[in-house]
Amino acid sequence: MTQQSQNLVIGLAGLGTVGGGLVSLLASNADIIERRTGKRIVLKRVLVHNLAKPRTVPLPPDVSLTDDLTALTDDPEIDAIVEVIGGKTTAKDLISRALDHNKHIVTANKALLAEEGQPLFSKAKQRNRILRYEASVAGAIPIVQALKESLASNHIHSLVGILNGTSNYVLSEMTNRHLDFTEALNGAQKKGYAEADPSLDIDGHDAAHKLVLLIRLAFGVHYDFTALPIHGIRGLSKLDIELADQLGYHIKLVGQVREAGTNSTPGGPIEAGVFPALVPHSFLLARVEGAFNAIHIKADAAGSLFFHGRGAGDLPTASAVLADLLAVAREEYPNNTGFALDLPDATVADPNDWTSCYYVRMMVEDTPGVLRDIAGCMARFGVSMSHVIQRTTEDLDLVPLVLLTHETTEKAMQSALRDIETLLKPKELVSFKVLS
Ligand code: HSE
């Protein structure tokens, strides 16, 4: 901390939505910050890509703009750097160099920390610097703090969350307004929820980055991002949303991690992934609407916990960034990962053995023997069905036939689906996991 002033002097990298929100919040809540920390947080300089771009957020008169990252990292008066530029390459150079110059770091960069976080955590540890990242997962929801500190005494059994607001908005619109995928996505783009290129959100990668960070915090292991199974919601059919709803479920894009099988040993095998799943209407997760995020945790001592809030946006994300800065101002030095030792690689259970209930929908001819053949394929691999419904329609040659299964393994389910494909050649065959 700068000795003379007892202020925390910061450099801000990025003046987009989150950076702008932080500048506003620093100004509007300056008194609260000072009452809580005994210090003022003083913004000295802002790194931007384009110096000439007009700015909508008014900056204090003594704050300068720069397009040179070393003007932040190498300035001896700056105590901490906030990185909200996103992307991996420049952000990594910035954080790495800033740590070399003994700066504390606050970042919202989930992609960088999920894919290339290890060396940055190691460097922060070597240099005894604070590296905080509350805003990188689920915006305003204080889930990093909760896992790292508030639930630190617990053995976490499982975590499942809605971690991408854009996808949840699209699915909510499909469910509530009966839109098809493209209509709902176009609407999300018009409202500013979805980017012009929505692939990071819609294809599940953004949720996967957040899940890797949550796995690290909850289980104390490093899960290789490239090995995480990721399935997004692109092209999901409105028919499945409607049929699932009739059966008592909403389809949600979830990120899930849990102890595998009956394992309940800390450090034992886990299973994890991002995928669209049927969530029973009775689960709180099913009622998470629009661009909101939510996380449900099961822990041995604390029991079941549910967190819900805004996962994006200027002030909600700035709220998390600024809370981290307050922790830096208080000079709180918890382990940045939440664990004292270097993190081992995750032991991942064989995906063939992962278990779930399933929803299966296929388009078939409405003729005698079809159901018998499907039941035969299921029985051959020991998959037990709990519900079968067929919707008769006047306007289709083929009818949707839907089954729900009891819990079975991924291997058995995929084998049965392959058999159905070969035997019946259904026009469409889709399946989703069902949360239970
Ligand atoms: N694009 C993300 C979402 C927010 O839609 O949830 C930032 O991670």
Side-chain angles (χ1 to χ4, degrees), residues 242-257:
E242 281 170 17
L243 291 166
D245 207 6
Q246 283 167 19
L247 287 162
Y249 300 88
H250 284 157
I251 300 187
K252 295 289 185 190
L253 181 69
V254 299
Q256 184 184 43
V257 56

Side-chain angles (χ1 to χ4, degrees), residues 134-170:
E134 184 64 72
S136 61
V137 184
I141 302 177
I143 191 67
V144 174
Q145 167 90 356
L147 286 166
K148 195 166 62 171
E149 294 162 37
S150 317
L151 296 173
S153 62
N154 282 254
H155 171 184
I156 308 289
H157 295 302
S158 66
L159 177 155
V160 59
I162 291 174
L163 303 174
N164 185 261
T166 305
S167 300
N168 202 58
Y169 178 85
V170 168

Side-chain angles (χ1 to χ4, degrees), residues 205-224:
H205 298 283
D206 175 75
H209 286 138
K210 294 166 186 165
L211 183 63
V212 164
L213 298 187
L214 292 174
I215 294 171
R216 192 184 276 153
L217 288 158
F219 291 87
V221 294
H222 168 65
Y223 200 115
D224 176 9

Side-chain angles (χ1 to χ4, degrees), residues 73-74 81 91-106 113 117-132 336:
T73 56
D74 299 18
I81 289 181
K92 186 176 162 191
D93 292 346
L94 173 85
I95 294 176
S96 189
R97 187 171 173 116
L99 288 169
D100 286 337
H101 285 79
N102 287 326
K103 312 297 182 202
H104 299 298
I105 307 290
V106 171
L113 292 184
Q118 295 291 79
L120 296 175
F121 283 114
S122 298
K123 187 177 272 195
K125 188 173 175 183
Q126 275 163 19
R127 297 199 159 260
N128 196 28
R129 295 295 89 185
I130 303 171
L131 168 55
R132 293 185 72 106
N336 293 316

Side-chain angles (χ1 to χ4, degrees), residues 353-377:
D353 298 333
W354 297 4
T355 57
S356 181
C357 301
Y358 287 86
Y359 161 105
V360 179
R361 191 230 343 143
M362 60 202 94
M363 302 304 290
V364 292
E365 279 178 37
D366 191 4
T367 52
V370 169
L371 193 53
R372 179 204 57 205
D373 290 346
I374 292 167
C377 296

Side-chain angles (χ1 to χ4, degrees), residues 21-42 315-316 318-320 322-323 326:
L22 180 65
V23 171
S24 303
L25 201 55
L26 271 172
S28 61
N29 288 0
D31 287 352
I32 293 171
I33 295 164
E34 197 161 349
R35 281 176 60 212
R36 286 199 180 270
T37 62
K39 292 182 183 139
R40 288 197 313 125
I41 296 179
V42 178
L315 291 179
S319 154
L322 190 49
L326 264 67

